[in-house]
Short mmCIF file of all heavy atoms in Angstrom, two decimals:
data_model
loop_
_atom_site.label_atom_id
_atom_site.label_comp_id
_atom_site.label_asym_id
_atom_site.label_seq_id
_atom_site.Cartn_x
_atom_site.Cartn_y
_atom_site.Cartn_z
N ALA Z 223 -58.75 78.95 66.56
CA ALA Z 223 -59.29 80.34 66.41
C ALA Z 223 -58.14 81.25 66.06
O ALA Z 223 -58.30 82.14 65.23
CB ALA Z 223 -59.95 80.70 67.66
N MET Z 224 -57.02 81.03 66.71
CA MET Z 224 -55.90 81.97 66.43
C MET Z 224 -55.41 81.77 65.00
O MET Z 224 -55.09 82.78 64.40
CB MET Z 224 -54.76 81.71 67.41
CG MET Z 224 -53.56 82.57 67.17
SD MET Z 224 -53.91 84.41 67.21
CE MET Z 224 -54.24 84.71 68.92
N LEU Z 225 -55.30 80.56 64.54
CA LEU Z 225 -54.93 80.36 63.11
C LEU Z 225 -55.86 81.08 62.10
O LEU Z 225 -55.41 81.61 61.13
CB LEU Z 225 -54.74 78.90 62.76
CG LEU Z 225 -53.47 78.22 63.46
CD1 LEU Z 225 -53.46 76.79 63.08
CD2 LEU Z 225 -52.27 78.88 62.89
N GLN Z 226 -57.17 81.00 62.46
CA GLN Z 226 -58.12 81.68 61.60
C GLN Z 226 -57.88 83.16 61.74
O GLN Z 226 -57.93 83.91 60.62
CB GLN Z 226 -59.53 81.42 62.09
CG GLN Z 226 -60.02 79.96 61.80
CD GLN Z 226 -61.41 79.70 62.30
OE1 GLN Z 226 -61.76 80.34 63.27
NE2 GLN Z 226 -62.10 78.83 61.59
N LYS Z 227 -57.54 83.74 62.81
CA LYS Z 227 -57.31 85.12 62.91
C LYS Z 227 -55.93 85.58 62.15
O LYS Z 227 -55.83 86.65 61.56
CB LYS Z 227 -57.10 85.48 64.45
CG LYS Z 227 -56.98 86.98 64.79
CD LYS Z 227 -56.72 87.16 66.25
CE LYS Z 227 -56.79 88.55 66.69
NZ LYS Z 227 -58.17 89.21 66.61
N LEU Z 228 -54.94 84.59 62.28
CA LEU Z 228 -53.70 84.92 61.64
C LEU Z 228 -53.73 84.88 60.16
O LEU Z 228 -52.84 85.48 59.43
CB LEU Z 228 -52.54 83.92 62.18
CG LEU Z 228 -52.16 84.06 63.67
CD1 LEU Z 228 -51.13 82.95 63.96
CD2 LEU Z 228 -51.56 85.44 63.85
N ALA Z 229 -54.72 84.07 59.62
CA ALA Z 229 -54.68 83.83 58.11
C ALA Z 229 -54.66 85.14 57.34
O ALA Z 229 -53.97 85.23 56.35
CB ALA Z 229 -55.93 83.05 57.82
N GLY Z 230 -55.43 86.11 57.77
CA GLY Z 230 -55.47 87.43 57.04
C GLY Z 230 -54.10 88.19 57.05
O GLY Z 230 -53.69 88.67 56.12
N TYR Z 231 -53.58 88.16 58.24
CA TYR Z 231 -52.24 88.84 58.43
C TYR Z 231 -51.09 88.10 57.54
O TYR Z 231 -50.30 88.72 56.91
CB TYR Z 231 -51.82 88.80 59.86
CG TYR Z 231 -52.64 89.60 60.71
CD1 TYR Z 231 -53.26 89.04 61.86
CD2 TYR Z 231 -52.95 90.95 60.48
CE1 TYR Z 231 -54.10 89.74 62.74
CE2 TYR Z 231 -53.81 91.67 61.37
CZ TYR Z 231 -54.36 91.03 62.54
OH TYR Z 231 -55.25 91.79 63.30
N ILE Z 232 -51.25 86.73 57.46
CA ILE Z 232 -50.29 86.01 56.66
C ILE Z 232 -50.52 86.30 55.23
O ILE Z 232 -49.43 86.53 54.47
CB ILE Z 232 -50.45 84.44 56.98
CG1 ILE Z 232 -49.98 84.13 58.36
CG2 ILE Z 232 -49.66 83.61 55.89
CD1 ILE Z 232 -50.39 82.71 58.82
N ASP Z 233 -51.73 86.36 54.78
CA ASP Z 233 -51.86 86.76 53.35
C ASP Z 233 -51.30 88.10 53.03
O ASP Z 233 -50.70 88.32 51.95
CB ASP Z 233 -53.35 86.79 53.02
CG ASP Z 233 -53.95 85.34 52.93
OD1 ASP Z 233 -53.17 84.38 52.87
OD2 ASP Z 233 -55.18 85.17 53.06
N CYS Z 234 -51.43 89.00 53.89
CA CYS Z 234 -50.90 90.39 53.68
C CYS Z 234 -49.41 90.34 53.51
O CYS Z 234 -48.77 90.94 52.61
CB CYS Z 234 -51.27 91.37 54.79
SG CYS Z 234 -52.89 92.05 54.64
N ILE Z 235 -48.74 89.64 54.56
CA ILE Z 235 -47.26 89.57 54.48
C ILE Z 235 -46.83 88.89 53.19
O ILE Z 235 -45.89 89.38 52.48
CB ILE Z 235 -46.81 88.91 55.70
CG1 ILE Z 235 -47.03 89.72 56.99
CG2 ILE Z 235 -45.28 88.62 55.61
CD1 ILE Z 235 -46.79 89.08 58.31
N ASN Z 236 -47.51 87.74 52.84
CA ASN Z 236 -46.99 87.02 51.63
C ASN Z 236 -47.20 87.81 50.36
O ASN Z 236 -46.59 87.67 49.50
CB ASN Z 236 -47.79 85.70 51.60
CG ASN Z 236 -47.16 84.72 52.66
OD1 ASN Z 236 -46.14 84.93 53.25
ND2 ASN Z 236 -47.95 83.65 52.71
#
Side-chain angles (χ1 to χ4, degrees):
M224 179 54 73
L225 285 178
Q226 289 180 329
K227 187 181 186 76
L228 292 178
Y231 297 123
I232 289 171
D233 286 343
C234 278
I235 292 173
N236 284 351

